[in-house]
Amino acid sequence: MKLWRFNGGLPSLAEHKNESTHLPIETAPVPSQLVYPLRQHIGNAATALVKVGDYVLRGQKIADAQGLISAPIHAASSGTVSHIADHLIPHPSGFSAPSISITTDGLDKELPPSGQPDFRQLSAADLVSLIREAGIVGLGGAAFPTAIKLDNQSKSRRIDTLILNGAECEPYISCDDRLLKERADKVIEGVNVLLHLLGAKRAILAIEDNVPSTFKAIQTAVNQNNNPAISAAQIPTIYPTGGEKQLIQTLTGKEVPSGGIPADIGIVSINVGTVYAVQQAVIEGKPLTSRIITVTGEGVTTPRNLEVRIGTPISTLIDVCNGYTQDADRLIMGGPMMGFALMNDQIPVVKASNCILVASKHEAVTEKQAMPCIRCGLCASACPVSLLPQQLYWFSRSEQLEKAEKINLLDCIECGCCDVVCPSHIPLVQHFRYAKSALKVQHHEKHLSNVARERFEAREARLAQEKADRAEKSRAKKAALKEKPAKETIDAAISRAKAKKQNPSEGEG
Amino acid sequence: MHFLTSNAPFIAPQNSVQRMMFWVLIALLPGVITMIWQFGYGVLFNIIICLMTALAAEALMLHLRGRPILPFMSDLSAVVTALLLALALPTLAPWWIPFIGALIAIIIAKHLYGGLGYNPFNPAMVAFAVLMVSFPKSMTVWMLPQALQVDSVSFSDLISLVFQQQANPELIDAITAATPLDTMKTQLGLNQTIDEIRSASVFGSLAGTGWQWVSIAFLLGGCLLLAKKIISWHIPVGVLAGLFVISFIAYMSEPGLSPSPTFHLLSGGAMLGAFFIATDPVTAATTTKGRFIYGALIGVLTYIIRTWGGYPEGIAFAVILINMTVPLIDHYTQPRVYGHK
Ligand code: SF4
Ligand code: SF4
């Protein structure tokens, strides 16, 4: 299969996968408390369907999607709703947000699942709504509601290629690798569901070439499945080849238009973990209530992959991995390139959590002494989007946001490549994140002020119109008044004259 | 359990300014050693005086500008500037030449423009150019390469030459000579043909006697920088290609009157310039395409200055002049961003 090469990237990033891949996936126990932030996907927060005191079963929907871009949430075990209130959520700023807490009863009673092994009988629309109802979102980390990606209604053109993203390019993370090693057949079943749903011509499952044993497992599953539309591809291990845009470029040579989506070039790309969730939902009738998470780093005693109920506090996962080591220094959700540090381990894992990295001091740098930029251009050579980070930095730092936008700040995928290669140790990505959000605020304000201006102008126009109308009316009235008195006076005069004539003595009287 | 937070990426940086400068210094070593071998200890005097002056000036300027002295000094950028200047100076220059040069490079060309990262012109080359224009006579005292020396020069002679220039004019005449580029230029001006000129002893088998080995040593060092990925190939290849192509065209059209491309590449500062001076990241173009163009322009301009300009060697002036075009080059060579037409 012909492959393409995206610009830059980091080909020699230390992988740190072995720490967590040698053990099979283990199921984490039911914790005493499950916590569900109502917004754990891109889009609108879900709305709670339960109240405090309600008894819920595993698989029961406890919060429903609100609006088109949103996803429902299901309980991962049986128990009683104990709180619906703010709880710490996994967020870089340590926010709390509305969440449903369930005190589990340990019985793990389940709603009877109702699978559809005969998925080919179902229409695309039925399958989309099944997937939507199962609460499935992108499990690769983006957490975008999957049903929207799959819904042909929202597409500008036909999908011909389905890409299954098994390229875990971030160091340390191995959950998709373990999933493919152990459950490749189920993933391929999921691929069949998606191919049927999308009507796509081909599906390519891509993984990096640093895990040949996993590739064999996939090959076997593909061969057994015997669907010629499905193929597996090994791609070079270069961070961030698992980024959606980079993967599409690597496999097809095509680029997603700036500001567009893959569907614009006839492609849908879905993470393999998400495909597994689709298989579980459609064929086995189980909504998304658990996922595989890599728990790793020098800060945990036994790094490994766990099948975790969504809503489980991180501390439970650490216990399953035999606790912290003395070196535990940072708690990172996600990988070391794009993840974020958490303040404590009472935070629950959400649908998007693919990795808990407990990093030691030397695994995670935290303080970098930034020096002036020496314009070496290494950042630009490393940028997978072909941006000029050094110029972006210049403009973001001096708050020249329009200029930064003009040289395509918004195309930055925040991969961190530039940051890692910079010899001056400038925290480039941090500047870009800040500038991007400032720009978003600016756009929003501009939008608001445009709306306000339009409103103001409309009001002005209305007022002017009203004024004009009033003026017109009063002019008409005045005219009428003028006319009336004139006529009246004349009439009066005439009648007086007449009266005088008739009664001359009156005038002299 | 509670943890401190910080921002991604958490991967330790794999590179530093210090590391890059360190490799530049290492890569200069073969050239430095060859120069000492060919031109004697005068090279060493230049290096020592430049280094000491540059470091003192750097510390002083950092202090005056209220910058932390240690982290900035340890980036080694001042050491590199000092060394590059020292290698460009004539080997028997009086002591105040490297001294003034280093002051100009660090104080004026570097710090008055805002320090590391902000100077638009290559500091070593600015200093070299100022010296060249201000003290043309003292900038030509190149010692004869070792192969051509008739009388051996004692160390004490050398010291007295460097520190009390006027002491012994006969000795100076005996052991110095015009550089090959200089000779070529003067003799061409006297309507000599290339063959006649090249029969003179300052010319070796490839280019200038002594100079050719120095050039090859710098070329080797440059390859080390490429291998270590401290520099990319675009600038050096651009410079050498620019110089080669234009001199090749001239050589083919008037072989009797134009020196060969090999002579141009190996006689003067072309290798030092291409691999170590034009590649100074701060003052070079930053885009990939732009860097090649930037290099090629320096190569071509070097030839033009060598051939038609007032000075036998054109690298320094070419670098400074092309430094000025960098914003323009950068502007017109921006790469196409992913997903854009
Ligand atoms: S890598 Fe760092 S020092 Fe080099 S150009 Fe980019 S921002 Fe500047
Ligand atoms: S973080 Fe942005 S600018 Fe930096 S390399 Fe990644 S995409 Fe390019």
Side-chain angles (χ1 to χ4, degrees):
Chain A
M1 187 175 169
K2 179 168 165 45
L3 296 177
W4 281 260
R5 172 78 169 92
F6 58 88
N7 184 61
L10 306 175
S12 52
L13 208 53
E15 291 164 14
H16 292 290
K17 307 271 190 188
N18 292 337
E19 288 92 325
S20 56
T21 48
H22 61 283
L23 292 173
I25 299 169
E26 180 174 313
T27 305
V30 180
S32 56
Q33 275 266 315
L34 287 164
V35 179
Y36 297 94
L38 288 170
R39 188 204 302 270
Q40 40 181 300
H41 43 258
I42 290 179
N44 301 326
T47 38
L49 294 173
V50 290
K51 5 180 244 312
V52 174
D54 283 2
Y55 185 74
V56 296
L57 299 170
R58 174 168 200 186
Q60 182 178 335
K61 187 153 75 170
I62 53 173
D64 207 355
Q66 188 184 27
L68 181 65
I69 305 184
S70 183
I73 298 168
H74 302 77
S77 191
S78 57
T80 316
V81 176
S82 54
H83 298 93
I84 301 180
D86 279 0
H87 191 282
L88 274 179
I89 57 165
H91 189 279
S93 316
F95 284 144
S96 292
S99 308
I100 300 175
S101 303
I102 297 170
T103 304
T104 57
D105 59 5
L107 302 172
D108 207 18
K109 277 192 272 183
E110 195 172 8
L111 270 187
S114 56
Q116 304 274 0
D118 250 353
F119 64 89
R120 285 179 211 277
Q121 308 302 322
L122 298 179
S123 70
D126 288 343
L127 283 169
V128 167
S129 77
L130 247 175
I131 290 167
R132 182 174 164 83
E133 272 307 296
I136 297 175
V137 300
L139 299 186
F144 186 79
T146 305
I148 298 171
K149 265 193 174 179
L150 298 175
D151 193 354
N152 277 315
Q153 307 297 306
S154 61
K155 300 222 171 69
S156 52
R157 54 167 289 185
R158 263 192 73 80
I159 300 303
D160 51 58
T161 305
L162 168 65
I163 290 178
L164 296 319
N165 188 346
E168 283 182 300
C169 54
E170 273 233 36
Y172 291 95
I173 307 179
S174 65
C175 54
D176 290 345
D177 180 52
R178 268 321 315 182
L179 169 75
L180 289 169
K181 274 199 176 87
E182 297 180 30
R183 305 177 194 171
D185 51 336
K186 304 249 160 124
V187 173
I188 299 298
E189 261 182 39
V191 176
N192 275 316
V193 173
L194 294 178
L195 272 177
H196 169 68
L197 192 172
L198 290 167
K201 282 203 283 292
R202 57 171 181 163
I204 311 170
L205 199 163
I207 66 164
E208 290 183 297
D209 57 10
N210 57 349
V211 279
S213 60
T214 310
F215 189 67
K216 254 188 226 130
I218 299 167
Q219 279 293 4
T220 317
V222 170
N223 292 342
Q224 277 170 2
N225 187 268
N226 213 6
N227 181 346
I230 305 176
S231 62
Q234 260 181 312
I235 56 174
T237 307
I238 303 168
Y239 177 84
T241 190
E244 187 171 71
K245 292 176 170 180
Q246 282 63 45
L247 184 61
I248 288 173
Q249 189 175 16
T250 305
L251 292 173
T252 67
K254 294 187 200 165
E255 294 179 10
V256 182
S258 170
I261 57 171
D264 297 342
I265 49 171
I267 294 172
V268 163
S269 118
I270 296 205
N271 163 269
V272 290
T274 315
V275 181
Y276 178 76
V278 167
Q279 187 271 350
Q280 292 285 300
V282 173
I283 299 189
E284 311 201 357
K286 295 180 186 162
L288 178 64
T289 59
S290 71
R291 65 159 299 150
I292 300 167
I293 297 179
T294 307
V295 183
T296 186
E298 288 180 358
V300 294
T301 311
T302 315
R304 68 185 309 168
N305 280 285
L306 301 175
E307 169 117 35
V308 178
R309 282 158 218 266
I310 291 156
T312 306
I314 292 167
S315 56
T316 306
L317 312 191
I318 303 294
D319 291 342
V320 182
C321 295
N322 301 321
Y324 293 111
T325 64
Q326 287 187 336
D327 296 331
D329 183 54
R330 301 281 147 147
L331 186 64
I332 296 162
M333 185 169 273
M337 292 298 293
M338 296 181 72
F340 51 90
L342 299 175
M343 290 197 296
N344 79 43
D345 58 10
Q346 294 311 306
I347 295 172
V349 297
V350 291
K351 293 175 182 176
S353 315
N354 50 3
C355 179
I356 301 295
L357 169 59
V358 191
S360 67
K361 266 214 167 58
H362 74 266
E363 276 180 311
V365 284
T366 47
E367 291 282 313
K368 295 198 277 190
Q369 158 90 44
M371 301 284 286
C373 165
I374 57 164
R375 295 169 37 93
C376 64
L378 288 171
C379 49
S381 310
C383 178
V385 190
S386 302
L387 294 170
L388 297 172
Q390 157 250 336
Q391 288 190 19
L392 286 174
Y393 164 64
W394 183 261
F395 291 139
S396 331
R397 204 176 61 143
S398 51
E399 304 258 348
Q400 303 186 55
L401 295 177
E402 288 82 17
K403 284 194 179 150
E405 188 180 9
K406 225 170 153 193
I407 57 167
N408 306 309
L409 172 66
L410 295 178
D411 285 292
C412 169
I413 57 170
E414 298 178 25
C415 64
C417 292
C418 51
D419 207 303
V420 169
V421 300
C422 175
S424 287
H425 304 174
I426 301 169
L428 294 166
V429 189
Q430 222 172 303
H431 282 281
F432 301 159
R433 272 190 221 114
Y434 169 78
K436 275 166 98 175
S437 57
L439 207 54
K440 261 179 215 147
V441 170
Q442 223 178 54
H443 282 181
H444 188 63
E445 270 166 9
K446 206 167 179 185
H447 172 74
L448 287 185
S449 78
N450 276 346
V451 170
R453 187 166 45 81
E454 273 162 27
R455 277 208 202 119
F456 177 75
E457 281 170 4
R459 180 167 172 271
E460 285 288 281
R462 198 189 71 230
L463 290 182
Q465 187 61 42
E466 279 175 9
K467 204 170 162 194
D469 287 353
R470 260 203 313 274
E472 173 63 24
K473 242 188 230 154
S474 74
R475 201 185 55 78
K477 220 187 215 162
K478 264 190 205 141
L481 272 177
K482 245 189 217 150
E483 254 170 52
K484 206 168 41 198
K487 204 164 166 239
E488 268 168 15
T489 8
I490 293 165
D491 284 352
I494 291 172
S495 54
R496 266 206 313 276
K498 273 184 190 158
K500 214 177 184 176
K501 252 188 207 161
Q502 282 164 14
N503 198 355
S505 56
E506 214 182 296
E508 290 120 12
Chain B
M1 189 157 147
H2 277 264
F3 294 89
L4 293 174
T5 61
S6 50
N7 289 296
F10 300 97
I11 302 275
Q14 302 164 344
N15 198 356
S16 67
V17 178
Q18 188 186 38
R19 174 180 165 270
M20 294 175 78
M21 296 293 171
F22 174 77
W23 278 106
V24 171
L25 293 176
I26 296 288
L28 279 169
L29 275 186
V32 170
I33 293 168
T34 316
M35 271 189 89
I36 294 176
W37 167 45
Q38 287 296 327
F39 298 105
Y41 291 110
V43 180
L44 217 49
F45 285 130
N46 280 344
I47 294 177
I48 293 170
I49 298 171
C50 274
L51 264 182
M52 286 174 19
T53 317
L55 289 179
E58 175 91 352
L60 175 74
M61 290 311 286
L62 287 172
H63 174 72
L64 289 180
R65 295 177 56 224
R67 296 291 191 287
I69 293 188
L70 218 78
F72 275 85
M73 292 283 281
S74 61
D75 69 18
L76 300 180
S77 62
V79 179
V80 169
T81 301
L83 192 55
L84 290 176
L85 174 62
L87 295 178
L89 293 177
T91 44
L92 280 180
W95 66 270
W96 47 267
I97 285 278
F99 176 72
I100 294 179
L103 290 182
I104 294 172
I106 300 295
I107 297 179
I108 297 176
K110 184 176 181 184
H111 282 287
L112 291 190
Y113 276 106
L116 181 70
Y118 294 93
N119 48 305
F121 303 110
N122 186 308
M125 289 304 100
V126 169
F128 181 86
V130 170
L131 292 172
M132 196 75 183
V133 172
S134 319
F135 313 106
K137 189 131 189 311
S138 302
M139 287 296 280
T140 51
V141 281
W142 282 89
M143 184 130 149
L144 271 172
Q146 159 258 4
L148 303 178
Q149 282 167 24
V150 203
D151 321 303
S152 61
V153 190
S154 72
F155 197 70
S156 58
D157 282 344
L158 204 65
I159 292 195
S160 74
L161 275 178
V162 169
F163 292 98
Q164 312 143 8
Q165 196 78 12
Q166 310 316 349
N168 198 343
E170 302 87 48
L171 183 61
I172 295 187
D173 278 348
I175 61 170
T176 63
T179 62
L181 279 172
D182 206 349
T183 315
M184 180 66 79
K185 193 176 182 83
T186 326
Q187 298 298 318
L188 279 175
L190 298 173
N191 291 326
Q192 300 269 74
T193 67
I194 296 289
D195 285 342
E196 287 162 351
I197 301 170
R198 289 208 53 167
S199 59
S201 61
V202 289
F203 297 99
S205 50
L206 294 169
T209 304
W211 290 89
Q212 56 199 19
W213 304 122
V214 173
S215 290
I216 289 170
F218 281 130
L219 172 62
L220 284 180
C223 292
L224 176 67
L225 289 187
L226 286 175
K228 283 272 148 200
K229 297 208 164 89
I230 304 297
I231 58 173
S232 68
W233 58 268
H234 306 84
I235 293 176
V237 170
V239 174
L240 298 179
L243 188 54
F244 178 86
V245 168
I246 189 167
S247 57
F248 185 74
I249 294 171
Y251 181 63
M252 288 322 259
S253 44
E254 314 172 294
L257 298 174
S258 308
S260 71
T262 326
F263 174 82
H264 270 289
L265 292 179
L266 295 180
S267 278
M271 292 297 165
L272 182 67
F275 287 98
F276 295 93
I277 291 169
T279 51
D280 164 31
V282 176
T283 55
T286 57
T287 62
T288 322
K289 231 188 290 168
R291 287 188 164 167
F292 185 78
I293 296 172
Y294 167 84
L297 288 176
I298 290 180
V300 171
L301 193 56
T302 300
Y303 179 86
I304 292 174
I305 296 175
R306 280 181 180 180
T307 312
W308 296 292
Y311 295 93
E313 177 55 302
I315 291 276
F317 294 101
V319 168
I320 294 172
L321 286 171
I322 304 301
N323 280 164
M324 290 199 265
T325 69
V326 159
L328 208 65
I329 298 180
D330 276 350
H331 184 78
Y332 285 105
T333 53
Q334 306 219 348
R336 186 185 62 85
V337 173
Y338 180 106
H340 286 257
K341 283 277 145 48

